[in-house]
Amino acid sequence: MDLTFNERETAFRDELRAWLAANDPGPRPEDADEDATFEWMRSWQRTMAADKWAGVHWPEEYGGRGATITESAIFFEELGRARRPLPANVLGIVMGGPTLMVWGTDEQKERFLPHILDASEHWCQGFSEPEAGSDLAALKTRAVKDGDDWVVTGQKVWTSGAQYAKWCMLVARTDMDAPKHKGLTYFLMDMEQEGVQVRPLRQITGSAEFNELFLEGARIPDANVIGGVGNGWKVALTTLMNERSGLAFFLQVRLRQLLDDVIEEAASRGLLDDPVVADKLADLHVKAEILRLTAYRGLTAIEKYGQPGPEGSLTKWLWSDTNQQLTSFAAELFGDWAYTAGNRWAYELMRARGNSIEGGTTEILKNIIAERVLGLPRLK
Ligand SMILES: Cc1cc2nc3c(=O)[nH]c(=O)nc-3n(C[C@H](O)[C@H](O)[C@H](O)COP(=O)(O)OP(=O)(O)OC[C@H]3O[C@@H](n4cnc5c(N)ncnc54)[C@H](O)[C@@H]3O)c2cc1C
């Protein structure tokens, strides 16, 4: 593993650092509801897009910078380091756009890609269902052909940002008789129609990041099938493969910052002289460093073999575990104050509970590591 950047990567990082220093979306709206936060992130995405920083890993022909995997990692790391937010349409940029680039027709790319980048059309991911999360291929939402349209009936859940979305990456069952992975089709569904009902789910943090989707006779034109009828599983895998790439760097930097903030707060309260506190902070520091280096090791694997290795599962597991330990420790250390409504540490503590579920649960990640890294017998 070589951790030094080459000349091109260093130039990329320096240009980005200068741009981030000159461009600041201002503080996150205080006590704001999701709507204000979304608008703040959308406006930030527009600023990024104006200078071609919204989709750096996208090819230049689609409005990106053709960044390499390492440059893309640098991008997310620097964004986190500068304490800037992710662009509002992160699902469209990181997952939807790259999926269209692989599987979409020229017309689909032309129609959808520019609006993902310029933040004019927000995207969401309609994969999970009440009885199909880890076992995604068990999904039951049905799409039936009716003339030039498909008519969709079913329910999705956990759909992040659906309340702001114009388009949904929807996987539905189009062949009831085919084996479960084969009867699926990937659609782009217009969210602005009567057959689509979005109901926000309020989390323990108080905010509603995700939603339930009720689909009752929603219509999708045949032109919005991505990658062919019956090919949905493969197209969905492309989306999922893109989910963690690069973002791991953003998350590990955010964890590092959170740890630095805990240390600063603890120091201001004179808590660092307590050997138990110092010991715990040292332990968290070591874990944060392991996470950073493992993320780089994953990057080396992608560069060498062209695809992410099982290190991706290891980083996600380590990140969620460490973030949960860190936020629990912070709340315990700062006492009652940290548990009051509206307190930053209360939010961090409660939001971290979802880390071991979102983007693949810890148990599933452990299965992957057991089977594909350690070579243990496969689950039946
Ligand atoms: C914050 C957040 C945002 C999300 N955003 C989206 C989104 O935008 N779009 C979307 O489609 N989904 C989204 N999800 C859903 C997420 O992908 C699922 O929650 C996740 O895949 C788990 O599925 P499930 O909740 O149905 O749990 P289940 O799959 O039902 O699992 C329940 C429990 O059983 C365990 N388990 C299941 N199978 C196995 C096994 N084979 N071996 C061992 N243990 C097992 C799990 O680890 C878990 O502890 C989001 C989730 C969260 C928390």
Side-chain angles (χ1 to χ4, degrees):
M1 179 174 46
D2 182 2
L3 290 182
T4 49
F5 295 137
N6 63 29
E7 233 172 79
R8 189 188 134 140
E9 288 157 357
T10 308
F12 176 88
R13 188 199 57 195
D14 292 347
E15 188 187 347
L16 175 59
R17 274 192 185 168
W19 187 85
L20 287 168
N23 290 276
D24 185 348
R28 181 177 280 269
E30 245 175 67
D31 289 334
D33 56 19
E34 299 85 51
D35 296 353
T37 305
F38 176 73
E39 275 314 318
W40 174 68
M41 288 171 74
R42 180 146 73 174
S43 151
W44 171 235
Q45 184 180 329
R46 286 198 197 105
T47 310
M48 294 169 99
D51 289 330
K52 287 199 168 195
W53 287 110
V56 291
H57 59 302
W58 286 27
E60 289 183 31
E61 58 176 309
Y62 299 130
R65 288 179 177 244
T68 61
I69 288 161
T70 302
E71 287 164 350
S72 181
I74 292 172
F75 171 79
F76 283 108
E77 199 167 35
E78 291 298 325
L79 194 67
R81 182 165 291 139
R83 298 196 180 231
R84 303 290 188 262
L86 287 167
N89 197 6
V90 67
L91 295 188
I93 293 172
V94 172
M95 293 151 76
T99 303
L100 266 191
M101 288 173 211
V102 175
W103 295 101
T105 61
D106 288 344
E107 291 75 29
Q108 288 169 337
K109 290 180 205 167
E110 205 175 306
R111 161 64 188 85
F112 294 107
L113 291 177
H115 301 292
I116 294 179
L117 273 197
D118 69 13
S120 57
E121 290 180 346
H122 194 68
W123 281 41
C124 66
Q125 180 195 15
F127 282 22
S128 306
E129 297 184 2
E131 285 175 52
S134 304
D135 185 13
L136 182 61
L139 62 86
K140 294 198 183 89
T141 292
R142 292 178 65 164
V144 178
K145 193 81 192 285
D146 178 26
D148 288 338
D149 283 351
W150 291 84
V151 179
V152 188
T153 313
Q155 189 194 340
K156 298 285 171 180
V157 71
W158 303 99
T159 323
S160 304
Q163 64 271 54
Y164 306 113
K166 167 70 178 162
W167 297 105
C168 177
M169 302 170 252
L170 183 92
V171 185
R173 192 161 296 287
T174 44
D175 184 343
M176 302 300 143
D177 302 321
K180 71 176 183 179
H181 289 85
K182 297 237 163 91
L184 304 173
T185 300
Y186 193 114
F187 298 94
L188 278 188
M189 180 178 72
D190 190 341
M191 296 288 286
E192 292 170 5
Q193 57 171 309
E194 227 172 78
V196 178
Q197 258 197 53
V198 178
R199 292 193 203 151
L201 288 169
R202 201 148 293 282
Q203 298 149 246
I204 48 169
T205 53
S207 53
E209 277 173 82
F210 44 68
N211 306 267
E212 287 177 297
L213 286 193
F214 292 93
L215 308 170
E216 285 163 29
R219 296 190 84 84
I220 306 177
D222 199 37
N224 286 11
V225 168
I226 310 293
V229 174
N231 205 25
W233 184 248
K234 277 196 189 152
V235 185
L237 285 184
T238 305
T239 304
L240 294 172
M241 290 268 285
N242 279 286
E243 188 167 358
R244 265 173 245 149
S245 62
L247 279 178
F249 285 82
F250 187 78
L251 297 177
Q252 58 94 0
V253 171
R254 277 286 152 95
L255 184 120
R256 176 76 249 174
Q257 288 170 346
L258 207 57
L259 178 57
D260 289 343
D261 292 351
V262 174
I263 294 172
E264 202 183 306
E265 181 73 40
S268 75
R269 292 162 179 252
L271 297 169
L272 292 184
D273 294 335
D274 180 337
V276 177
V277 173
D279 187 55
K280 184 66 193 168
L281 289 172
D283 178 52
L284 288 164
H285 166 77
V286 169
K287 285 183 173 142
E289 277 301 287
I290 293 173
L291 185 60
R292 186 173 68 82
L293 295 172
T294 312
Y296 273 102
R297 200 166 61 167
L299 197 63
T300 312
I302 300 176
E303 279 184 340
K304 265 198 193 148
Y305 309 115
Q307 55 184 5
E311 291 86 357
S313 298
L314 205 57
T315 4
K316 164 73 202 335
W317 170 17
L318 191 61
W319 167 74
S320 59
D321 209 44
T322 311
N323 206 37
Q324 288 177 350
Q325 284 181 30
L326 171 61
T327 51
S328 301
F329 177 67
E332 198 185 314
L333 190 62
F334 304 143
D336 296 349
W337 167 77
Y339 290 99
T340 41
N343 183 288
R344 178 202 176 179
W345 298 108
Y347 175 85
E348 298 289 0
L349 172 73
M350 291 190 284
R351 180 59 185 83
R353 302 321 301 164
N355 295 164
S356 45
I357 304 173
E358 58 197 312
T361 69
T362 295
E363 290 76 16
I364 295 296
L365 300 175
K366 285 182 181 175
N367 284 348
I368 294 172
I369 293 163
E371 290 169 10
R372 299 201 209 144
V373 181
L374 302 176
L376 297 177
R378 289 182 73 86
L379 247 158
K380 293 272 181 295

